[in-house]
């Protein structure tokens, strides 16, 4: 094991370097606090998983978590925050069902695997127009916005700011005009500041930058709460969930609790401006290693490269299995690329430290020295 990796693994208390795309790494300090409180949360004599979600203690937690998220993201007062279930895939259906009334179609941007999945689901509920696609260029970048064929009468414009599998990230927020902008921020939320006021709806699965799987955040502007279709299930009905403070049904209490611990941790780090700087440095180091000699390759246009999910291939594909086996032996986990993309992928969400990225870069340099 190289010295950088060896020393860092020792400091992590035997925990591996977790580069999983999701469920992803959670800050060690958060896990330790959850461990300390697991059997007796806030003097309740029970775990947070065992108390009533309508009891005073959990209601206080729910209120704090919303307050913390609002502070972190500077969410305006005319937006509601929901803590739901169903994942981003659930929102692929919930968005059109909640925003459809009075509209016959919605505009979607096709930027890769997850955008394609969202488009396919939305087609079950309304007409979908693909206003821009990166498919012709294998999603290595996206067309200039002035070429997008947008409908000014669309129910909304949907896009995926960061594609977890392909490693493409929008370097700008689309201008949707008077049409509400909807974003699936599952793999980019809380990684950098966002001007929430530019969006009609933001949604995100929790299992990347928020906490464990099972929780889904939805941030929605007030004026969009009266556009649901008649066939929208009550559990996915935004207005009903707002009225019941995200507790129309029993919420995922442990995931909600963990999310609040992550929000606290992010505030303690200095907030999203600080995280953005750290994440930018991490990505620069990893892409710098990939671009250094040609032994490693990433084909996404540099302006469109993701800061959260870094796919790469080897110049000699026959070395893929060797790379992954040796990486795992050194404590680097979940570097295998998605089956739709192949190769390798390092997901470097907020909980992956800069030192862990340094260790990965060191391993990659040593691997190239031996096999290049």
């Amino acid at each position: 094991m190289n010295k950088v990796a060896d020393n860092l693994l020792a400091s992590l208390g035997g925990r591996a370097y977790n580069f999983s795309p999701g469920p992803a790494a959670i800050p060690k300090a958060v896990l330790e606090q959850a461990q300390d409180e697991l059997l007796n949360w806030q003097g309740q004599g029970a775990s947070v998983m065992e108390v009533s979600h309508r009891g005073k203690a959990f209601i206080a937690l729910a209120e704090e978590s919303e307050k913390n998220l609002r502070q972190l993201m500077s969410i305006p007062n005319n937006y509601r925050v929901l803590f739901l279930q169903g994942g981003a895939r659930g929102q692929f259906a919930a968005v059109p069902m909640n925003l459809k009334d009075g509209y016959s179609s919605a505009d979607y941007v096709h930027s890769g695997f997850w955008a394609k999945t969202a488009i396919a689901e939305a087609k079950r509920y309304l007409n979908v127009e693909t206003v821009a696609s990166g498919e012709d260029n294998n999603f290595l970048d996206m067309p200039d916005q002035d070429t997008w064929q947008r409908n000014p009468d669309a129910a909304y414009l949907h896009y995926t700011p960061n594609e977890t599998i392909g490693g493409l990230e929008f370097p700008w927020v689309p201008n949707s005009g008077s049409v509400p902008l909807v974003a699936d921020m599952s793999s980019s939320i809380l990684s950098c500041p966002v001007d929430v006021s530019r969006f009609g709806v933001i949604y995100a699965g929790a299992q990347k930058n928020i906490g464990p799987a099972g929780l889904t955040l939805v941030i929605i502007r007030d004026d969009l709460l009266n556009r649901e279709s008649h066939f929208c299930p009550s559990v996915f009905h935004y207005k009903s969930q707002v009225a019941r403070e995200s507790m129309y049904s029993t919420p995922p209490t442990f995931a909600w609790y963990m999310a609040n611990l992550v929000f606290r941790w992010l505030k303690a780090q200095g907030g999203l401006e600080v995280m953005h700087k750290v994440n930018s440095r991490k990505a620069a180091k990893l892409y710098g290693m990939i671009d250094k000699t040609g032994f490693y390759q990433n084909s996404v246009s540099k302006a469109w490269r993701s800061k959260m999910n870094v796919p790469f291939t080897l110049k000699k594909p026959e070395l893929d299995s060797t790379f992954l086996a040796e990486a795992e032996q050194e404590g680097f986990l979940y570097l295998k690329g998605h089956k739709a993309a192949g190769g390798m992928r390092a997901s470097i969400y907020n909980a992956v430290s800069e030192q862990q990225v340094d260790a990965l870069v060191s391993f990659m340099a040593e691997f190239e020295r031996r096999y290049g």
Side-chain angles (χ1 to χ4, degrees):
M1 181 176 290
N2 65 72
K3 282 189 176 181
V4 174
D6 196 13
N7 292 337
L8 185 55
L9 270 185
S11 71
L12 291 174
R15 283 174 54 79
Y17 312 103
N18 186 354
F19 293 96
S20 172
I26 294 174
K28 185 169 180 276
V30 167
L31 294 173
E32 288 173 340
Q33 182 173 349
Q35 182 182 44
D36 288 343
E37 298 178 338
L38 188 62
L39 297 180
N40 185 5
W41 176 62
Q42 294 190 356
Q44 298 288 310
S47 166
V48 68
M49 292 180 284
E50 300 171 296
V51 302
S52 170
H53 60 292
R54 302 196 183 278
K56 290 182 179 180
F58 194 85
I59 293 297
L61 181 153
E63 291 173 349
E64 183 196 348
S65 64
E66 179 174 340
K67 179 181 177 181
N68 286 336
L69 183 65
R70 283 185 176 275
Q71 291 175 345
L72 283 166
M73 296 186 68
S74 300
I75 299 173
N77 291 332
N78 63 323
Y79 284 75
R80 301 306 105 201
V81 177
L82 297 173
F83 295 82
L84 306 178
Q85 301 180 69
R89 283 184 182 267
Q91 293 305 309
F92 293 167
V95 165
M97 286 192 292
N98 276 278
L99 302 183
K100 180 185 188 304
D101 188 43
Y103 296 85
S104 61
S105 67
D107 288 348
Y108 275 70
V109 179
H110 184 11
S111 55
F113 182 92
W114 290 112
K116 181 179 180 179
T117 308
I119 289 169
E121 183 66 21
K123 286 180 176 179
R124 296 164 59 92
Y125 307 101
L126 79 178
N127 295 322
V128 170
E129 298 295 334
T130 302
V131 301
S133 174
E135 191 167 15
D136 288 345
N137 195 31
N138 201 29
F139 302 109
L140 302 182
D141 57 19
M142 291 295 294
D144 292 338
Q145 193 172 358
D146 58 10
T147 67
W148 293 14
Q149 303 298 310
R150 290 183 45 237
N151 176 9
D153 296 318
Y156 55 88
L157 171 64
H158 179 286
Y159 85 117
T160 308
N162 184 76
E163 284 283 356
T164 317
I165 295 173
L168 178 144
E169 180 180 356
F170 275 76
W172 36 263
V173 176
N175 179 11
S176 64
S178 61
V179 174
L181 182 62
V182 177
D184 172 9
M185 290 192 183
S186 294
S187 54
S188 59
I189 196 167
L190 300 178
S191 66
C192 62
V194 172
D195 183 358
V196 175
S197 68
R198 296 190 63 180
F199 298 85
V201 177
I202 292 170
Y203 64 91
Q207 64 273 16
K208 302 175 189 297
N209 263 335
I210 300 171
L215 182 72
T216 310
L217 285 183
V218 175
I219 303 168
I220 179 168
R221 202 171 63 218
D222 284 343
D223 63 296
L224 299 176
L225 288 171
N226 294 297
R227 288 175 41 174
E228 75 281 357
S229 62
H230 69 278
F231 51 78
C232 180
S234 297
V235 73
F236 279 141
H237 184 198
Y238 294 153
K239 191 173 182 179
S240 295
Q241 289 285 9
V242 167
R244 292 164 177 80
E245 298 178 319
S246 303
M247 297 186 186
Y248 182 86
S249 58
T250 304
T253 53
F254 185 73
W256 198 335
Y257 155 79
M258 289 291 289
N260 190 45
L261 294 188
V262 172
F263 298 158
R264 290 181 185 174
W265 178 82
L266 286 169
K267 291 175 68 175
Q269 307 312 301
L272 302 192
E273 289 280 0
V274 172
M275 295 311 302
H276 179 52
K277 292 177 181 178
V278 174
N279 288 329
S280 296
R281 289 199 303 268
K282 292 183 327 192
K285 288 179 178 182
L286 190 47
Y287 284 118
M289 180 66 227
I290 291 169
D291 294 338
K292 195 172 182 180
T293 64
F295 182 80
Y296 301 102
Q297 297 173 337
N298 175 288
S299 300
V300 178
S301 299
K302 290 187 177 181
W304 292 86
R305 284 175 166 179
S306 170
K307 290 184 177 65
M308 292 288 97
N309 309 100
V310 182
F312 59 94
T313 57
L314 299 177
K315 188 175 182 180
K316 303 174 182 178
E318 63 272 17
L319 288 174
D320 282 7
S321 58
T322 303
F323 179 93
L324 292 169
E326 292 193 10
E328 185 170 351
Q329 186 177 7
E330 297 281 332
F332 299 97
L333 302 185
Y334 307 115
L335 288 171
K336 186 175 182 179
H338 190 275
K339 60 184 179 181
M344 274 63 67
R345 172 180 50 172
S347 293
I348 50 176
Y349 301 120
N350 287 339
V352 177
S353 70
E354 194 169 353
Q355 292 73 25
Q356 288 173 288
V357 173
D358 288 339
L360 176 59
V361 168
S362 178
F363 167 78
M364 292 170 67
E366 173 62 16
F367 188 87
E368 180 179 354
R369 186 191 68 78
R370 288 186 289 114
Y371 293 99

